[in-house]
Amino acid sequence: MKDENLKFRPAVRADLEGIVSMLADDSLGRNRENPALPLERSYEEAFLAISEDPNDELIVAEADGQLAGVLQLTLLPSITHRGSWRAMIEGVRTASTLRGRGIGRELIRHAIGLAEERGCRLVQLTTDKSRPDAIRFYEGLGFRPTHEGMKLRLDKEVVKE
């Protein structure tokens, strides 16, 4: 069901604390994010880098004037698929108090629409294998597990995945 009071917009600096708080408010984020204020400088630096890149966007959802969800949409040129563009969706979260209202579904659909407008031929995302509900959620939106994702940690800090 589409929430009529739901609006999408690019994130602004004033949203950053709420965004980090949403990222930390889940079983995996609890171990890898730090919502303590003042925020670590790395969050501000990442926000600025995303904001200044024309192929990167941090998108927030608002419901009744309240920060309700977030995702990052990155557009990537690719030599594969005949030199087409692809979109990558990362960092999807819905405020824990607002889950179950369809906000995440509408946020993903909005991002897909933006990718289509920019001429992308493919939208991709990853989700942790320990999140069966998230996997079902993405499959319900048409995503398929066609590839095996792999990651290599480069940071020295030990972060529990």
Side-chain angles (χ1 to χ4, degrees):
M1 119 181 67
K2 185 169 178 160
D3 188 326
E4 295 304 318
N5 295 316
L6 193 59
K7 295 179 179 28
F8 304 105
R9 61 172 175 77
V12 296
R13 172 57 186 89
D15 296 320
L16 190 55
E17 288 82 7
I19 290 169
V20 174
S21 181
M22 272 192 287
L23 293 172
D25 187 18
D26 105 335
S27 60
L28 295 177
R30 214 173 341 273
N31 295 317
R32 60 184 179 205
E33 305 301 340
N34 180 9
L37 300 177
L39 290 177
E40 294 175 15
R41 184 166 172 74
S42 57
Y43 289 116
E44 178 78 29
E45 291 168 352
F47 179 82
L48 288 173
I50 293 165
S51 298
E52 293 172 0
D53 186 334
N55 293 316
D56 220 346
E57 190 168 357
L58 197 57
I59 301 165
V60 294
E62 284 185 345
D64 301 318
Q66 176 183 351
L67 197 60
V70 66
L71 64 71
Q72 182 175 344
L73 179 67
T74 303
L75 306 178
L76 305 161
S78 177
I79 294 298
T80 62
H81 294 269
R82 298 182 176 186
S84 67
W85 283 72
R86 66 182 60 206
M88 182 172 60
I89 296 175
E90 290 279 328
V92 179
R93 294 293 188 286
T94 300
S96 59
T97 57
L98 299 173
R99 290 185 187 140
R101 290 178 47 180
I103 293 168
R105 181 174 33 262
E106 293 305 317
L107 184 57
I108 294 286
R109 287 180 177 154
H110 177 73
I112 292 168
L114 292 174
E116 287 177 323
E117 287 174 14
R118 291 281 302 267
C120 292
R121 287 179 146 180
L122 177 74
V123 178
Q124 62 190 35
L125 56 78
T126 61
T127 189
D128 196 284
K129 290 180 180 184
S130 70
R131 294 179 166 190
D133 291 340
I135 292 168
R136 280 190 297 277
F137 169 76
Y138 293 124
E139 287 176 340
L141 285 163
F143 289 87
R144 297 291 171 251
T146 61
H147 291 68
E148 185 72 22
M150 302 175 82
K151 295 185 180 186
L152 173 65
R153 293 206 64 95
L154 299 176
D155 56 349
K156 303 298 180 211
E157 183 180 327
V158 177
V159 178
K160 295 179 183 176
E161 289 287 334

